[in-house]
Amino acid sequence: MSQSRPDYDLVIAGGGMIGASLAVALSPLGLRIAVVEAVARGAVEQPSFDERSTALSRSTQRSFEAMGLWSKVKAASTPIRQVHVSDKGRFGFAHIDAEEQNVEALGYVCINRVLGDVLASALDAADNVTLYCPARITAASSSATLSTVSLTHADGSEEQLTTGLLVAADGARSSIREMLGVAVSVSDYRQKAIIGNLLTELPNQGVAYERFTETGPIAMLPVNNGRTAFVWIAETAAADRLLALDDTDFQDALLSAFGTRLGAFSRIGKRAAYPLFLTRAARLTAQRAVLVGNAAHGLHPVAAQGFNLGMRDVAALCDCIADALGPGGDGDLGAPAVLARYAAWRKSDQARLVGLTDGLVRLFGSEQAGVRTLRNVGMLAFDVVPGVRRRFAEYAMGLKGRLPRLSRGIALR
Ligand SMILES: Cc1cc2nc3c(=O)[nH]c(=O)nc-3n(C[C@H](O)[C@H](O)[C@H](O)COP(=O)(O)OP(=O)(O)OC[C@H]3O[C@@H](n4cnc5c(N)ncnc54)[C@H](O)[C@@H]3O)c2cc1C
């Protein structure tokens, strides 16, 4: 490290779901951390803590446990007791049961905005974390010993910060990734996810449904106060037609696509839409910098895994940093060996999840007869063969592979 001490040990670019979680997770290590977030908390345009609902996997639950946040997150979440996957108009469905997996719940559904409130109060309580918000990082550069970022505050004033390690947590369209010279591959699914919530005539009883229809997959997730959150994925033109419908017509269209498992729908809330892409950074590190969360990989939401995968990036990075500060390390968080360890650790989990979600999109998006047969047989095999189901459940819960401390529920300190 250089003789001059940087302003911060760590600067996190982006204080969304992943950046804020990383800062909270690292705060017990006593590092001097800055989080730079472009959009004010509570602003309608906040892109991370919005009205979407996120299904939290078991490994994410364990990370929040290790961070001391789980009781608050759990109180604001709804447990998933069963996952039910079906293909409209076809034979075969799959289900995964919490009891069968010997767990209290397969996951929990939390509204992003509510998760944001929990993370925000934890950030406020951490006196070694400085939040620059609203402030946007507009430039980043690095030398062998330091990263430097320029940020622009809401009033137009500018400031420079130096750090030993810059973390890009600024989402799928990461500008930091570009500033670091990391290439990205983007494939446009030409689909949109329409989200919202509604009341169902029958109680959802903790079942998360995923139904593959001719328009695209529909997920119905149990959320607090008896409402059900929906995610309806459709080709862009079809999604735009659905978005143009009034509430009653949209509700009817959703009911006719999803079916009557939950009875009639009523009191639909505000809808929002997200264009869907697969984005993959060519590298997870640059000089004195790492990429985490959607900045590293933006997934299709079909398997509800993007945030959970990002939380495993957070957990692995926390382990690498804690070890660099420990007895065997030299305290240099941004040293090439630390970054290489993080990149090597995350490579296979990320590749597997990208393959799984991209494969699902293609498998269920195809109407070719051969593929249709394959997916029906696949879903049957999936439901009938316990070993297959268990392995899938382990992936969905995020419990596959070598797990870092946080993903095992172990506090960093
Ligand atoms: C419809 C839908 C449903 C989903 N459901 C699930 C689910 O059930 N389970 C799951 O695991 N995942 C789910 N996901 C994925 C999940 O939402 C994302 O993986 C997660 O939001 C990624 O968080 P992030 O912090 O990496 O990025 P983001 O949420 O994009 O946050 C990035 C943050 O960086 C800030 N920022 C950007 N540029 C700058 C800059 N230059 N300077 C400072 N700040 C900046 C932004 O304002 C933002 O707050 C879903 C996604 C969609 C679209």
Side-chain angles (χ1 to χ4, degrees):
M1 291 279 289
S2 85
Q3 303 311 313
S4 62
R5 198 172 182 223
D7 299 321
Y8 291 98
D9 297 312
L10 199 88
V11 170
I12 302 173
M17 304 256 280
I18 291 299
S21 299
L22 177 65
V24 174
L26 285 172
S27 60
L29 297 182
L31 296 165
R32 294 165 304 125
I33 301 171
V35 177
V36 185
E37 168 53 49
V39 183
R41 193 190 292 175
V44 275
E45 62 276 23
Q46 218 307 320
S48 202
F49 301 119
D50 56 13
E51 290 306 315
R52 274 173 299 169
S53 298
T54 295
L56 309 174
S57 71
R58 194 145 169 75
S59 68
T60 297
Q61 170 187 339
R62 287 186 178 163
S63 291
F64 284 136
E65 280 166 6
M67 289 155 64
L69 291 186
W70 180 242
S71 60
K72 286 190 183 138
V73 176
K74 187 180 179 187
S77 304
T78 307
I80 300 175
R81 311 267 182 224
Q82 212 186 90
V83 174
H84 185 287
V85 186
S86 60
D87 199 353
K88 192 181 178 202
R90 310 210 198 291
F91 185 51
F93 70 90
H95 79 268
I96 311 171
D97 207 278
E99 225 170 274
E100 186 189 313
Q101 304 297 326
N102 276 322
V103 289
E104 188 191 332
L106 290 165
Y108 287 80
V109 184
C110 192
I111 296 172
N112 289 16
R113 178 179 42 75
V114 177
L115 186 57
D117 292 342
V118 175
L119 289 168
S121 41
L123 280 182
D124 289 345
D127 48 20
N128 55 329
V129 179
T130 308
L131 181 62
Y132 294 84
C133 178
R136 178 175 289 281
I137 293 188
T138 46
S141 60
S142 69
S143 69
T145 53
L146 275 185
S147 267
T148 305
V149 294
S150 306
L151 47 112
T152 308
H153 295 276
D155 63 4
S157 62
E158 296 190 355
E159 191 173 356
Q160 281 205 333
L161 305 177
T162 57
T163 178
L165 178 62
L166 171 64
V167 181
D170 58 335
R173 283 183 293 177
S174 170
S175 55
I176 312 299
R177 187 176 57 207
E178 203 181 322
M179 293 168 201
L180 296 172
V182 175
V184 62
S185 70
V186 181
S187 64
D188 187 348
Y189 285 116
R190 298 191 170 82
Q191 296 176 346
K192 281 184 181 172
I194 305 172
I195 64 117
N197 63 65
L198 43 71
L199 268 186
T200 56
E201 188 184 4
L202 305 175
N204 54 39
Q205 295 182 310
V207 182
Y209 293 92
E210 177 133 40
R211 188 154 176 76
F212 292 90
T213 74
E214 61 276 11
T215 344
I218 297 174
M220 301 291 268
L221 304 172
V223 283
N224 271 351
N225 60 36
R227 290 181 76 82
T228 293
F230 64 82
V231 183
W232 190 353
I233 294 163
E235 302 290 329
T236 303
D240 288 341
R241 280 194 296 276
L242 289 168
L243 285 162
L245 296 176
D246 67 23
D247 284 355
T248 314
D249 288 348
F250 180 85
Q251 227 168 241
D252 291 347
L254 184 59
L255 184 65
S256 106
F258 177 73
T260 53
R261 273 197 172 83
L262 288 168
F265 298 157
S266 62
R267 296 181 56 193
I268 190 166
K270 199 165 166 280
R271 284 167 267 159
Y274 300 80
L276 302 179
F277 301 90
L278 170 64
T279 52
R280 271 176 297 180
R283 292 179 282 136
L284 292 181
T285 65
Q287 192 176 46
R288 297 236 157 239
V290 290
L291 276 59
V292 292
N294 273 24
H297 42 71
L299 304 182
H300 192 286
V302 67
Q305 292 297 320
F307 174 65
N308 295 310
L309 182 64
M311 281 302 282
R312 296 203 290 281
D313 298 344
V314 165
L317 184 59
C318 285
D319 256 26
C320 296
I321 289 176
D323 291 348
L325 296 171
D330 67 358
D332 183 0
L333 316 183
V338 177
L339 306 190
R341 184 172 167 226
Y342 166 75
W345 199 345
R346 296 308 300 140
K347 207 173 160 188
S348 63
D349 187 21
Q350 291 181 1
R352 207 163 40 214
L353 254 293
V354 165
L356 179 82
T357 53
D358 196 47
L360 263 180
V361 177
R362 292 180 202 290
L363 186 63
F364 286 100
S366 173
E367 282 307 314
Q368 283 172 24
V371 176
R372 221 161 52 206
T373 311
L374 184 73
R375 75 185 179 202
N376 288 342
V377 172
M379 287 175 72
L380 272 180
F382 173 61
D383 199 44
V384 172
V385 185
V388 174
R389 203 161 50 199
R390 169 166 283 278
R391 275 203 299 281
F392 183 84
E394 281 172 351
Y395 277 123
M397 291 192 288
L399 298 177
K400 221 44 209 154
R402 191 162 62 89
L403 296 177
R405 272 167 271 195
L406 289 184
S407 305
R408 286 182 279 139
I410 300 169
L412 291 182
R413 187 165 286 170

